[in-house]
Amino acid sequence: MNMSYVARLEEQTGLKFDPAKLPRHIAIIMDGNGRWAKQRGQERTVGHRAGVEALEGVVEACRNLGIGYLTVYAFSTENWSRPAAEVGTLMSLLSEFAASKLLRLRDNQVEVRVLGDLAGLPVLQRAALNRLMAATANARSGGEGLVLNLALNYGGRAEILAGLKKAAAELSPRELQELSEEGFGAYLTTAGQPDPDLLIRTSGELRLSNFLLWQLAYAEFYFTEVLWPDFDAAELFRAVCAYQQRDRRFGAAPV
Ligand code: IPE
Ligand code: IPE
Ligand code: MG
């Protein structure tokens, strides 16, 4: 954790940060790119471009705050139903991001993983993402660094169903009978990672839109009206400080 960075954000926001209550894993539904562009009289795709910039800023902020895992919803299985031109731009931005940010992410100790059906993406995007994942696979070192999960062509129900089929194919009937919740987690795309502690959704929408349905069981939710392209380090800091005020009981009686 970069303490002078934290001090600067405390001053900027007037909020107090508690280093002992850091979320291990933050999940974000990056929403509102289209509305952001519309407010400026621009095409929706302009908003998506600005959204990529915002993501870069938030990744850097997570590194400075010492967050271990960041999962961002970048493209849902339902997003294929958008106009072909918009889907095309999103795909181009994806391969552009994968190629142009590769070295910077690796040098910044960010390991990129993809959650979702990679095989269902166009071949160019698939290749760019495979390169990005391979190049950053060992980017974290000495307990330092960030895992960045890109949820792409992702749907929560599809993930659970795929995990169920995988478990059924690999396990004996007896093992399947005895499979625990924790054991089942190993069949999901987030295997080996802690569940998100904090879920953020921008743009004022109050729904999950099929995101991490299993993993978010006990996450704290933070909704903000801020549109994704305007979501910066200070906004992330506000969300983390709000999270630190929550009383996480996990079903136990309050102390
Ligand atoms: C989020 O912004 C980006 C993606 C879903 C890919 P939107 O494109 O959903 O923007 P709004 O919600 O229409 O404003
Ligand atoms: C959810 O946002 C998916 C992503 C942010 C990638 P949407 O804008 O697609 O969700 P809905 O349609 O408002 O539920
Ligand atoms: Mg939206």
Side-chain angles (χ1 to χ4, degrees):
M1 189 182 305
N2 180 339
M3 289 318 286
S4 61
Y5 181 88
V6 169
R8 224 169 329 130
L9 284 172
E10 280 185 326
E11 197 178 280
Q12 187 186 341
T13 59
L15 295 168
K16 192 88 199 94
F17 180 82
D18 181 355
K21 280 193 180 168
L22 198 64
R24 282 210 289 168
H25 186 167
I26 298 178
I28 307 183
I29 303 175
M30 309 185 288
D31 201 7
N33 294 351
R35 277 163 283 170
W36 184 90
K38 199 170 167 215
Q39 283 178 0
R40 285 162 177 73
Q42 309 260 29
E43 297 283 322
R44 293 176 58 81
T45 50
V46 174
H48 295 316
R49 278 190 188 280
V52 177
E53 303 289 316
L55 174 60
E56 227 191 320
V58 165
V59 168
E60 197 173 311
C62 283
R63 282 292 292 120
N64 280 307
L65 292 176
I67 305 294
Y69 298 84
L70 172 66
T71 302
V72 295
Y73 207 1
F75 194 87
S76 73
T77 45
E78 290 74 25
N79 288 146
W80 292 112
S81 65
R82 295 189 179 196
E86 182 174 348
V87 171
T89 300
L90 285 166
M91 290 300 140
S92 308
L93 282 172
L94 183 57
S95 43
E96 250 174 63
F97 171 85
S100 65
K101 309 298 179 204
L102 185 150
L103 291 177
R104 203 180 150 75
L105 288 166
R106 191 191 64 189
D107 295 345
N108 214 0
Q109 295 182 290
V110 180
E111 175 183 338
V112 181
R113 301 185 193 172
V114 172
L115 314 182
D117 185 13
L118 201 54
L121 292 177
V123 63
L124 200 75
Q125 280 64 38
R126 217 184 312 153
L129 287 164
N130 278 325
R131 271 196 297 276
L132 178 63
M133 285 190 285
T136 61
N138 301 309
R140 292 183 304 151
S141 61
E144 269 282 306
L146 172 73
V147 171
L148 172 62
N149 295 311
L150 301 176
L152 287 170
N153 196 14
Y154 174 89
R157 286 186 172 179
E159 181 192 21
I160 294 170
L161 198 56
L164 175 72
K165 288 175 183 171
K166 201 168 161 218
E170 281 180 18
L171 301 176
S172 69
R174 193 196 163 100
E175 286 169 329
L176 204 52
Q177 278 292 329
E178 289 170 357
L179 186 63
S180 64
E181 290 180 3
E182 209 189 333
F184 181 63
Y187 290 93
L188 299 175
T189 53
T190 47
Q193 304 187 24
D195 284 338
D197 302 295
L198 169 62
L199 168 79
I200 299 169
R201 183 165 191 158
T202 58
S203 84
E205 305 297 347
L206 307 180
R207 55 177 168 267
L208 283 180
S209 302
N210 203 11
F211 190 43
L212 300 177
L213 297 179
W214 176 275
Q215 297 89 338
L216 290 173
Y218 256 108
E220 295 294 331
F221 286 15
Y222 178 89
F223 296 105
T224 171
E225 295 288 329
V226 173
L227 302 175
W228 177 250
D230 292 329
F231 194 90
D232 58 9
E235 294 301 336
L236 182 78
F237 190 74
R238 284 191 183 94
V240 171
C241 288
Y243 162 84
Q244 294 183 335
Q245 300 299 318
R246 305 279 176 90
D247 179 16
R248 301 189 80 191
R249 289 192 291 274
F250 298 100
V255 282

